[in-house]
Amino acid sequence: QVQLVESGGGLVQDGGALRLSCVASGISFKIHVMAWYRQAPGKQRELVAAITTGESTNYADSVRGRFTISRDNAKNTVYLQMNSLKYEDTAAYYCNANRRVWDGTMYDYWGQGTQVTVSS
């Protein structure tokens, strides 16, 4: 059974920082691309950051320079360090693990989400 368990969300003031963690089980963590998405009320879920198996990273323009994604394959954990938080970063943050196999099949897993609230 695949599980992605996020933690680290909470309430923080504008300009503050939080670090999200996501621990994966039931998958071969090191062969999956790991990502963080977020969804604010009334908005579509959007990609925040992703890290490949080779540790290349990609960020949404809105968070580049403020957020850092990293992974620890020994701990089956992906992190999202969020600095200089803004009110508009308020959202539920979701951990995602995905990989595409040789025949094109995509395996895609999601965590239950953790709420980040930034007070202005």
Side-chain angles (χ1 to χ4, degrees):
Q1 180 183 359
V2 178
Q3 282 193 312
L4 301 178
V5 181
E6 302 102 333
S7 61
L11 175 64
V12 64
Q13 287 188 332
D14 189 279
L18 285 174
R19 188 175 83 152
L20 305 184
S21 300
C22 170
V23 180
S25 59
I27 59 171
S28 180
F29 181 82
K30 64 181 180 180
I31 65 172
H32 283 75
V33 173
M34 299 301 298
W36 289 95
Y37 285 75
R38 69 185 180 187
Q39 187 168 20
K43 294 188 177 181
Q44 288 190 328
R45 189 172 295 190
E46 63 174 354
L47 176 67
V48 175
I51 184 166
T52 68
T53 56
E55 302 202 11
S56 296
T57 57
N58 183 41
Y59 296 93
D61 289 343
S62 59
V63 308
R64 188 174 291 112
R66 300 188 296 121
F67 291 9
T68 302
I69 189 171
S70 61
R71 64 190 297 161
D72 185 338
N73 290 340
K75 295 183 178 180
N76 286 1
T77 301
V78 62
Y79 304 98
L80 185 68
Q81 178 65 44
M82 305 186 293
N83 298 330
S84 302
L85 282 161
K86 304 176 182 179
Y87 175 77
E88 49 265 39
D89 294 318
T90 296
Y93 283 71
Y94 297 89
C95 178
N96 171 266
N98 66 85
R99 70 182 180 105
R100 189 182 298 277
V101 298
W102 65 273
D103 65 357
T105 302
M106 174 68 87
Y107 292 88
D108 204 23
Y109 308 103
W110 293 90
Q112 82 288 350
T114 186
Q115 179 67 34
V116 172
T117 303
V118 184
S119 62
S120 58

